[in-house]
Amino acid sequence: MSVEAIRFRITYEGQDIWLVSEQRVEMTLPPSDELGEGEYSGFWYETRDTDDQVLYRRVIGTPIRYDYEVADPDTGGFARVPAESVAGDFAVLVPADLNARFLVLHSSPLATEQEAEAATELARFDLWSA
């Protein structure tokens, strides 16, 4: 079933993250993901209301590229190498909800050797201040 959704475009450069644009679209979104209690690693985004209660959550692979997997000619396997620059953009989709006050991004540390550590809040955007 198609519902009204909002596509947010997010840009990043190093540790700086900006909410660049939003666009209303009609599409079918997956249901909200549940994490339960405890600490988790990885990357996810969520919308929250004025009481900071989660309205919608999606767990995804990190869209922020801080390293790349490349072929290693010495071993015939693969190796991870740091990105020359950490910059780019990505989009997230959420249901259009008048109660959504914040878009919040959570991430484990953005370094290969720390990617299994617990995620923390990476960025928070006030959707009512635009």
Side-chain angles (χ1 to χ4, degrees):
M1 178 175 153
S2 185
V3 297
E4 189 173 27
I6 301 174
R7 177 184 295 124
F8 290 106
R9 187 169 144 246
I10 298 166
T11 297
Y12 63 93
E13 186 173 341
Q15 297 295 320
D16 297 324
I17 301 173
W18 303 274
L19 180 59
V20 178
S21 66
E22 66 180 72
Q23 176 186 18
R24 291 190 177 269
V25 294
E26 290 285 329
M27 65 181 311
T28 303
L29 292 176
S32 184
D33 289 323
E34 295 298 325
L35 288 180
E37 298 299 318
E39 293 185 344
Y40 293 90
S41 62
F43 187 96
W44 66 91
Y45 63 90
E46 46 194 34
T47 55
R48 292 177 171 252
D49 65 15
T50 56
D51 295 324
D52 216 30
Q53 298 299 306
V54 174
L55 301 172
Y56 184 79
R57 175 183 291 138
R58 289 297 308 151
V59 177
I60 62 173
T62 184
I64 300 173
R65 302 300 336 149
Y66 52 89
D67 67 4
Y68 294 93
E69 189 173 68
V70 297
D72 184 341
D74 295 332
T75 66
F78 292 92
R80 296 193 76 90
V81 297
E84 289 184 23
S85 73
V86 178
D89 64 346
F90 60 95
V92 299
L93 291 157
V94 301
D97 183 341
L98 294 176
N99 294 317
R101 172 71 189 260
F102 303 104
L103 174 64
V104 184
L105 308 179
H106 296 268
S107 179
S108 293
L110 298 175
T112 303
E113 62 278 356
Q114 297 173 302
E115 64 189 2
E117 291 182 16
T120 59
E121 188 173 299
L122 182 64
R124 178 179 289 248
F125 305 105
D126 187 338
L127 303 177
W128 292 3
S129 68

